[in-house]
Amino acid sequence: MKDQVLSLLRKNNAPRDWEDVLATVKESGNLTKRVGKVNDEPIYRFFDTYSDDLTLNSSSISIAVQPTESFVPYHLHNYIEIMIPLVEDCTVVLEHSEVKVNQDDLIFMGNRTVHKVKPISKNGIVVNIALRSSAFSLNELDYLKNKKNSSNISNILFSLLSDEEYGEGRYSLFKTNHDRKITELIYDVIDEYYHPDIQSDQLIRLEMLTLFSRLIRQTANSEIKVKDYRKKNNNLLSLLLYIEKHYSHITLQEMAKRFGFNPNYLSDYLKKQTGKTFIQLVHLQRINVAAEYLTYTTAPIERIANRVGYENPSYFYKIFKKYFGISPAEYRNKNS
């Protein structure tokens, strides 16, 4: 499979002119704008993800291969980016330093971390995996976080995926030592992505979680340095996880008491850190769970509404339509 994957990637990593890329993106109506400078070089905001042919891709997990011998400017994302050199190596340039990433190693770029990549050699192959905040639930990341010796990668992922401020200016470099099981996982994820079939999205998610677990093991068994790693904003992470677990009956007063906060302080803290109010976070969790019930069960809508915390079905219908733009019944017909 490895040779087939590399052959496929080589078909998609031909050199690209940056000005042509900009023109193509603008022509499709998407905005890639300048947001600052590093030593007189512009920094671009890349908040969209694109397939190898530069078509917009809104998936929570997306993959693309970097073009060879091509200029990549300073830029930042509002998602995590994992860069993996599969053939040869690559050099990532940050605002004040450079990082060489060797073959089969992984570098995780945090949200809004300014960086660029030096041109890749003609024979090199570097894959980018974009992970949006919707890629994994907090419960899934918490499962990783609670594993023995998981103090590095799991806490980083937990923080990076849950807290945009944590990621800014941070990267994490993980050396795999060419571990066979890790590289096989990477190649299988790429193969599933480029040859989608039934359950491919689910398999990719599960294999990415398995990849994280294997990196945790590598962290425990070898000296893997994590750049600028700090346990930061664990209060926020705990709060978000608590909402995810207790969404159906949670109240601001009860949650504030549980964590020893004044309710007004807790409300202001959540708004400042997430951009959403307490009740918006609760509604979001309830509606997302309801959407899963609508997709995967035949339970009556009124029962689902009650199950996720809405005693009044009419109010549930109103909130659901506000978030999804369609009624629960229409959502079920579309996705079941």
Side-chain angles (χ1 to χ4, degrees):
M1 179 181 67
K2 179 178 178 179
D3 290 340
Q4 288 90 333
V5 168
L6 292 178
S7 177
L8 182 153
L9 295 174
R10 286 197 186 281
K11 293 178 181 178
N12 293 307
N13 72 343
R16 276 207 178 99
D17 181 83
W18 169 241
E19 294 302 326
D20 290 342
V21 172
L22 263 186
T24 301
V25 170
K26 288 180 180 178
E27 190 175 302
S28 62
N30 299 299
L31 183 62
T32 301
K33 72 175 190 178
R34 301 186 183 194
V35 291
K37 288 184 177 182
V38 175
N39 299 325
D40 291 329
E41 290 187 49
I43 303 169
Y44 289 87
R45 188 185 72 180
F46 292 175
F47 281 9
D48 295 316
T49 50
Y50 295 88
S51 300
D52 292 325
D53 60 358
L54 292 183
T55 57
L56 194 63
N57 186 333
S58 59
S59 300
S60 58
I61 300 176
S62 58
I63 300 176
V65 61
Q66 287 199 35
T68 59
E69 301 180 305
S70 301
F71 168 74
V72 177
Y74 280 111
H75 60 280
L76 54 86
H77 311 288
N78 62 346
Y79 51 82
I80 289 178
E81 180 183 47
I82 306 175
M83 281 178 271
I84 312 170
L86 299 179
V87 177
E88 298 187 358
D89 54 41
C90 73
T91 300
V92 179
V93 183
L94 294 100
E95 293 180 87
H96 305 293
S97 61
E98 294 186 2
V99 183
K100 183 179 179 181
V101 188
N102 294 319
Q103 182 175 322
D104 296 333
D105 290 346
L106 295 85
I107 185 166
F108 289 67
M109 304 305 303
N111 294 330
R112 304 176 193 276
T113 295
V114 175
H115 65 287
K116 67 176 181 177
V117 183
K118 287 187 175 181
I120 299 162
S121 74
K122 181 179 180 180
N123 295 320
I125 298 179
V126 178
V127 166
N128 296 342
I129 302 178
L131 302 178
R132 295 196 175 276
S133 58
S134 57
F136 309 104
S137 72
L138 289 174
N139 278 327
E140 289 169 328
L141 296 176
D142 186 57
Y143 172 77
L144 293 174
K145 186 170 178 277
N146 288 332
K147 296 294 185 182
K148 183 179 179 181
N149 293 325
S150 65
S151 60
N152 283 336
I153 179 82
S154 54
N155 275 339
I156 288 170
L157 286 168
F158 201 84
S159 299
L160 288 175
L161 286 169
S162 306
D163 178 6
E164 287 187 357
E165 290 187 3
Y166 179 91
E168 186 170 354
R170 289 171 168 81
Y171 71 86
S172 306
L173 176 63
F174 293 93
K175 296 185 177 297
T176 65
N177 299 320
H178 306 288
D179 182 279
R180 179 180 58 83
K181 291 184 177 180
I182 290 178
T183 56
E184 285 178 354
L185 271 172
I186 293 169
Y187 277 94
D188 198 55
V189 166
I190 297 170
D191 186 61
E192 282 289 343
Y193 184 84
Y194 281 97
H195 301 97
D197 202 342
I198 184 171
Q199 291 292 303
S200 283
D201 288 346
Q202 181 71 352
L203 283 169
I204 290 171
R205 284 180 62 257
L206 293 174
E207 288 189 323
M208 288 300 296
L209 288 169
T210 304
L211 173 63
F212 300 156
S213 292
R214 292 203 171 277
L215 288 175
I216 289 170
R217 177 181 288 178
Q218 282 285 84
T219 303
N221 295 332
S222 61
E223 294 183 1
I224 299 179
K225 296 180 180 180
V226 182
K227 178 70 175 180
D228 196 23
Y229 168 63
R230 290 183 295 171
K231 291 185 178 179
K232 180 185 175 188
N233 283 346
N234 281 326
N235 279 339
L236 175 64
L237 305 178
S238 299
L239 293 170
L240 293 174
L241 182 59
Y242 191 81
I243 291 173
E244 185 168 292
K245 288 182 177 179
H246 302 280
Y247 61 89
S248 64
H249 56 273
I250 196 171
T251 67
L252 179 63
Q253 289 71 24
E254 177 272 329
M255 183 173 174
K257 183 178 180 181
R258 166 72 173 74
F259 287 91
F261 292 137
N262 176 281
N264 290 333
Y265 172 82
L266 175 59
S267 178
D268 292 342
Y269 179 80
L270 288 171
K271 176 67 175 177
K272 180 180 179 181
Q273 296 296 327
T274 70
K276 294 181 175 62
T277 65
F278 168 78
I279 195 61
Q280 286 174 330
L281 290 169
V282 173
H283 281 319
L284 187 61
Q285 179 62 19
R286 288 178 176 178
I287 294 304
N288 282 332
V289 173
E292 291 187 3
Y293 280 128
L294 290 167
T295 301
Y296 298 111
T297 77
T298 58
I301 293 176
E302 288 74 13
R303 186 183 300 171
I304 292 175
N306 186 263
R307 180 70 177 269
V308 300
Y310 296 103
E311 295 181 3
N312 185 337
S314 297
Y315 186 56
F316 167 69
Y317 274 75
K318 178 182 177 180
I319 296 297
F320 191 95
K321 191 165 186 177
K322 177 181 177 181
Y323 278 86
F324 284 99
I326 57 178
S327 71
E330 291 170 327
Y331 185 91
R332 170 171 273 171
N333 289 335
K334 182 179 178 181
N335 293 278
S336 60

